[in-house]
Amino acid sequence: MGRKRTKSGKIRLAEVAELAGVSPITASRFFRNPEALSVAKRTRVESAAKELGYVPNLAARALASQRTEVIGVLIPSLTNNVFSDVLRGIYDASEGSRYSIQLSNTRYSILQEEKLLRLFLAQKPAGLIVTGIDQTAESRAMLEAADCPIVQIMEIGPSPVDMMIGFSHYDAARAAIAHLFAQGHRKIGFVGARMDPRVQRRLDGYVSAMKDAGLFEQRLVVTTATPTSVTLGGALFTDLLAHQPDLDAVFCANDDLALGVLFECRRREISVPEQIAIVGFNDLEFMASAVPTLTSVRTNRYEMGKTAATMLIEAIEGRRPEQPVLDLGFKVIERQSSSSRQSDNRPAVSAGGAPNKMVALPSSHD
Amino acid sequence: MGRKRTKSGKIRLAEVAELAGVSPITASRFFRNPEALSVAKRTRVESAAKELGYVPNLAARALASQRTEVIGVLIPSLTNNVFSDVLRGIYDASEGSRYSIQLSNTRYSILQEEKLLRLFLAQKPAGLIVTGIDQTAESRAMLEAADCPIVQIMEIGPSPVDMMIGFSHYDAARAAIAHLFAQGHRKIGFVGARMDPRVQRRLDGYVSAMKDAGLFEQRLVVTTATPTSVTLGGALFTDLLAHQPDLDAVFCANDDLALGVLFECRRREISVPEQIAIVGFNDLEFMASAVPTLTSVRTNRYEMGKTAATMLIEAIEGRRPEQPVLDLGFKVIERQSSSSRQSDNRPAVSAGGAPNKMVALPSSHD
DNA sequence: AGGATCGTTGACAGCGCTACCAGCAACGAC
DNA sequence: GTCGTTGCTGGTAGCGCTGTCAACGATCCT
């Protein structure tokens, strides 16, 4: 064909335009806003592009248009399977769109987050997804000054930077404790690891529920800054028992800990739920499969990621959601590990949050 | 200071150069190869950049230099915690380097992989990390024609595209079965889900080991294409028992399945390991914590990701490793779930591959 | 029919950076 | 002293694309 090529051997827009018999700028428009072209030219450009196997040069586009098609995502951890669910949702929602995901790991450090934020913002991302509501003042200022849509995920709070999607960890913990109260438990311990802001708020919810009932005691709480694990759940529970041998229930800040507690109970031949009830948090898949099955607070992690990315993309393209703050709620899934001592297992659940139309909500789960 | 700014309000290289009293190209060199500058100019540019808070425009750099500083990563799943460990290694290794990670999910489809590969390659990545050795012919051709370093991860095989890091799933499965044989087990079932190429090779290893011992029977194998889960482990095990009630051990293609089998045994009051031994694969954290503790084949996932990214970056910068194929090996971690019926628990382990940082290959390759 | 409006198209001028090559001083070998 | 070297620096010319604005014909209204 003798087309002239760039050094790199790649097809440029100009070649496509030439083959299609239009100007480069018209070809350019085809890729950004095909509706603006007449049908005739549109099909001509389309087939020319296909024939040549044209792939746009994103760097050139970014340079010329002064913006990128990158969605920055800041999450505190890659290990935690809570985030992998959220991420999966984000990636799923971004697939098929023109936007690509740029992921960075803050390692639970808001200083690191600030640094990464500065880096991201310098590249003019199309949008940003950040975790939580506990940014540094500097980060907060940067976010507010940013000229792109932003979604805060994982929790909801009083003053969103822009959009926000999550649920109340505080309320969720309170609901878990209320459930245990309803089952007749009184000496309810709390086991928590990592103690990031969201876990902290679960602890706050626990404390307030216990205080409301006049049952709070400091030694019912065992926490550590160490990253969570199943093994750690066993260790923390051991600690808890040492301080409080007459425990009748444990609320674990996540499911890994709960599984660890379950195993530890088995090791010590403590029967669950007869002697001690266990409630976890997140409702990971294995909770329903354990023996006994484990009660947990279901959170809509995948949905959270997916909806966050969807909202963000909509906003980037100018269609801002009428409802910028979305509470995805939670649901206490009662299973054997906390079922009532007297009756067997009526499948009571208590849900929280404000279900909303943008997503199919908790009521429809399980 | 009255510096003139670009519309976007951002500081450009030219401004830094002006403040430093050098030409733009000299300033540019500072960021790419500081050694090439005289010490005087180097410090001048450095302080000017710091004073202005200069952040390079990556799009402009990519356009001008005809290459990006992006490492493309193609993995089949974001859910699977095996990959999240690998990813964590990759991200850790990329941190502090100039390269950023671009992640894409092939969803276990080699057609999808081919499509993503085409997309990636068009953007001239600095390097590529791809999962496994089972690409389509077209993908393979693209990879071979690519002018950037490439690392294949997760397994090793005969003809690397470029670099390769992983271990032999086949040998690992054989080692697991050998361990069970050593413990006196004969009727050993296989439970597998998803059945991606790596799980398939584990199955192949199992089959060959069983055949070698004259113990293979088709009905000892239960697999499904369904994605793996703990619950599924229980279900597949139930199936297996139905076909083969006199089973004395189960080799699970991953640890989630193994946990599911353990729970199912508990549900059925089958004692582990007395009646049935269980061996998993990957050695996830919870295996050591379960009751009984669960034997598994340890694989070096984090290290795999980290080393892959490190090797790749080295290669990008022109320092190719002297050993482009790395076998990270595996290790059978014996725990209670498969400990010998007669003796109690001597901590025997059998390792495979060459768990070494930069050295030779395992003898055992087929 | 005349003018206004809309939809469609193209010319031009960069976006911010780096590849390439030339220039220049300092230095050593003959 | 002359001629290469070497080491550092700068000028020029784009990289491939899109924002802006102007121009054009077609359509619509009064």
Side-chain angles (χ1 to χ4, degrees):
Chain A
M1 277 248 147
R3 297 243 61 70
K4 76 161 178 277
R5 297 264 173 102
T6 171
K7 288 172 207 157
S8 55
K10 291 253 301 293
I11 313 257
R12 286 169 310 180
L13 188 58
E15 272 112 77
V16 175
E18 192 181 330
L19 180 61
V22 300
S23 72
I25 188 66
T26 299
S28 166
R29 267 192 279 264
F30 168 77
F31 292 99
R32 292 174 293 145
N33 183 16
E35 265 76 274
L37 301 203
S38 62
V39 181
K41 304 225 163 176
R42 197 185 309 168
T43 52
R44 290 237 298 284
V45 175
E46 184 166 22
S47 64
K50 186 164 290 170
E51 185 181 332
L52 296 173
Y54 171 72
V55 183
N57 179 322
L58 264 32
R61 177 180 289 177
L63 181 58
S65 66
Q66 296 283 67
R67 58 197 157 71
T68 62
E69 286 166 351
V70 169
I71 292 175
V73 178
L74 285 172
I75 56 162
S77 161
L78 281 167
T79 321
N80 197 322
N81 31 25
V82 166
F83 290 108
S84 66
D85 285 340
V86 175
L87 271 184
R88 196 160 45 87
I90 292 175
Y91 274 97
D92 280 4
S94 76
E95 230 165 70
S97 82
R98 63 200 309 157
Y99 302 96
S100 66
I101 302 299
Q102 186 72 48
L103 183 64
S104 264
N105 182 351
T106 66
R107 298 162 182 280
Y108 288 102
S109 153
I110 56 174
L111 262 45
Q112 176 73 3
E113 182 183 54
E114 183 180 314
K115 201 180 124 203
L116 290 169
L117 208 47
R118 202 181 309 280
L119 225 64
F120 269 21
L121 254 10
Q123 303 309 326
K124 304 209 155 292
L128 231 38
I129 296 179
V130 300
T131 301
I133 57 180
D134 300 276
Q135 286 78 28
T136 64
E138 179 72 12
S139 292
R140 176 85 195 187
M142 285 193 285
L143 286 171
E144 273 164 359
D147 63 346
C148 66
I150 291 165
V151 185
Q152 290 168 286
I153 59 168
M154 297 310 292
E155 48 183 327
I156 48 177
S159 48
V161 170
D162 183 3
M163 292 171 283
M164 192 176 255
I165 177 164
F167 65 95
S168 166
H169 294 251
Y170 182 91
D171 291 348
R174 283 186 62 98
I177 303 306
H179 159 70
L180 284 168
F181 285 161
Q183 303 297 310
H185 301 285
R186 290 295 173 268
K187 290 270 187 202
I188 304 171
F190 179 94
V191 166
R194 170 113 271 162
M195 299 316 288
D196 67 66
R198 285 157 296 285
V199 176
Q200 184 60 50
R201 278 186 263 277
R202 286 173 218 160
L203 173 55
D204 294 346
Y206 159 86
V207 170
S208 86
M210 292 295 279
K211 283 192 170 157
D212 286 357
L215 294 169
F216 179 69
E217 291 180 62
Q218 190 56 56
R219 58 189 184 155
L220 282 169
V221 175
V222 177
T223 64
T224 170
T226 311
T228 193
S229 73
V230 177
T231 308
L232 186 60
L236 293 175
F237 177 61
T238 300
D239 235 50
L240 182 59
L241 273 184
H243 295 119
Q244 188 75 46
D246 59 338
L247 208 61
D248 64 9
V250 191
F251 173 46
C252 303
N254 68 51
D255 288 342
D256 285 347
L257 295 175
L259 185 60
V261 170
L262 176 64
F263 285 140
E264 189 61 33
C265 284
R266 184 121 166 70
R267 218 168 273 126
R268 293 168 176 268
E269 300 185 344
I270 296 172
S271 67
V272 177
E274 291 75 12
Q275 292 175 266
I276 288 194
I278 302 176
V279 174
F281 200 98
N282 277 324
D283 198 30
L284 298 188
E285 185 265 332
F286 61 74
M287 298 297 271
S289 185
V291 183
T293 57
L294 291 162
T295 297
S296 194
V297 180
R298 178 168 296 172
T299 58
N300 307 295
R301 300 177 301 283
Y302 172 80
E303 204 167 40
M304 195 184 303
K306 186 152 189 178
T307 310
T310 304
M311 282 170 76
L312 188 65
I313 290 173
E314 290 287 299
I316 290 167
E317 306 195 330
R319 298 182 294 278
R320 295 197 68 80
E322 65 281 16
Q323 174 55 275
V325 178
L326 231 56
D327 184 347
L328 248 36
F330 56 83
K331 194 161 146 193
V332 178
I333 308 290
E334 178 183 338
R335 298 206 182 86
Q336 293 163 351
S337 71
S338 70
S339 74
S340 178
R341 285 153 180 205
Q342 44 277 55
S343 79
D344 233 4
N345 52 344
R346 95 206 104 81
V349 296
S350 71
N356 193 298
K357 63 190 148 44
M358 275 197 72
V359 211
L361 252 227
S363 43
S364 58
H365 277 311
D366 106 310
Chain B
M1 271 259 150
R3 299 243 61 70
K4 75 161 180 277
R5 297 264 174 102
T6 170
K7 289 173 208 160
S8 56
K10 290 252 300 294
I11 316 269
R12 287 169 310 180
L13 188 57
E15 272 113 78
V16 175
E18 191 181 332
L19 180 61
V22 299
S23 72
I25 187 67
T26 299
S28 166
R29 267 191 280 263
F30 169 77
F31 292 100
R32 291 173 295 142
N33 183 18
E35 266 74 275
L37 301 205
S38 63
V39 181
K41 305 227 165 178
R42 199 186 308 171
T43 52
R44 290 236 299 284
V45 175
E46 185 165 22
S47 64
K50 188 164 290 173
E51 185 181 332
L52 296 174
Y54 170 72
V55 182
N57 179 321
L58 265 31
R61 177 180 288 178
L63 181 58
S65 67
Q66 295 283 64
R67 59 201 156 69
T68 62
E69 286 167 352
V70 169
I71 292 175
V73 178
L74 285 172
I75 56 163
S77 161
L78 281 167
T79 321
N80 196 322
N81 30 26
V82 166
F83 290 108
S84 67
D85 286 339
V86 175
L87 270 184
R88 198 161 43 88
I90 292 174
Y91 274 96
D92 280 4
S94 76
E95 231 165 68
S97 82
R98 64 200 308 157
Y99 302 96
S100 66
I101 302 299
Q102 185 72 50
L103 184 64
S104 264
N105 182 350
T106 65
R107 297 162 184 279
Y108 289 102
S109 151
I110 55 174
L111 261 46
Q112 177 72 3
E113 181 183 55
E114 183 179 314
K115 201 179 124 203
L116 291 168
L117 209 46
R118 203 182 307 279
L119 224 63
F120 269 21
L121 254 10
Q123 303 308 327
K124 304 206 154 296
L128 231 38
I129 296 178
V130 300
T131 301
I133 57 181
D134 300 275
Q135 286 77 28
T136 63
E138 180 73 12
S139 293
R140 176 86 195 186
M142 285 194 284
L143 287 171
E144 274 165 357
D147 63 347
C148 67
I150 292 164
V151 185
Q152 290 168 285
I153 58 168
M154 299 309 292
E155 47 182 328
I156 48 178
S159 48
V161 170
D162 183 3
M163 292 171 283
M164 193 176 254
I165 179 165
F167 64 94
S168 166
H169 294 252
Y170 181 91
D171 291 347
R174 284 186 62 99
I177 302 307
H179 160 69
L180 284 169
F181 285 160
Q183 302 298 309
H185 300 285
R186 292 293 172 267
K187 287 270 186 205
I188 305 171
F190 179 95
V191 167
R194 170 114 273 160
M195 300 316 288
D196 66 65
R198 285 157 295 285
V199 175
Q200 184 61 49
R201 279 186 263 278
R202 287 173 218 158
L203 172 55
D204 293 345
Y206 159 85
V207 170
S208 85
M210 292 295 279
K211 283 192 170 159
D212 286 356
L215 293 169
F216 178 70
E217 291 180 63
Q218 189 56 54
R219 58 190 184 155
L220 283 168
V221 175
V222 177
T223 65
T224 169
T226 311
T228 192
S229 74
V230 177
T231 308
L232 186 60
L236 293 176
F237 177 61
T238 300
D239 235 50
L240 182 58
L241 274 184
H243 295 118
Q244 189 75 46
D246 57 341
L247 209 59
D248 64 9
V250 191
F251 173 47
C252 303
N254 68 51
D255 288 343
D256 285 347
L257 296 175
L259 185 60
V261 171
L262 176 65
F263 285 140
E264 189 62 33
C265 285
R266 183 121 168 71
R267 218 168 273 125
R268 292 168 177 268
E269 301 184 343
I270 296 172
S271 66
V272 176
E274 292 74 13
Q275 292 175 267
I276 288 193
I278 302 176
V279 174
F281 200 98
N282 279 324
D283 197 31
L284 298 187
E285 185 265 331
F286 61 75
M287 297 297 272
S289 188
V291 182
T293 56
L294 291 164
T295 298
S296 194
V297 180
R298 178 170 295 169
T299 58
N300 307 295
R301 300 177 299 284
Y302 173 80
E303 201 170 40
M304 196 184 304
K306 186 150 189 178
T307 311
T310 305
M311 282 169 75
L312 188 65
I313 290 174
E314 289 287 297
I316 290 167
E317 305 194 330
R319 298 182 294 278
R320 297 196 66 81
E322 66 282 13
Q323 176 52 276
V325 177
L326 231 56
D327 185 346
L328 248 34
F330 56 84
K331 194 160 144 193
V332 178
I333 309 289
E334 177 182 338
R335 299 206 183 86
Q336 294 163 351
S337 71
S338 70
S339 73
S340 177
R341 286 156 178 202
Q342 44 277 53
S343 79
D344 233 4
N345 52 345
R346 97 206 102 80
V349 297
S350 71
N356 197 308
K357 53 184 166 46
M358 271 290 170
V359 211
L361 259 196
S363 38
S364 53
H365 264 312
D366 57 316

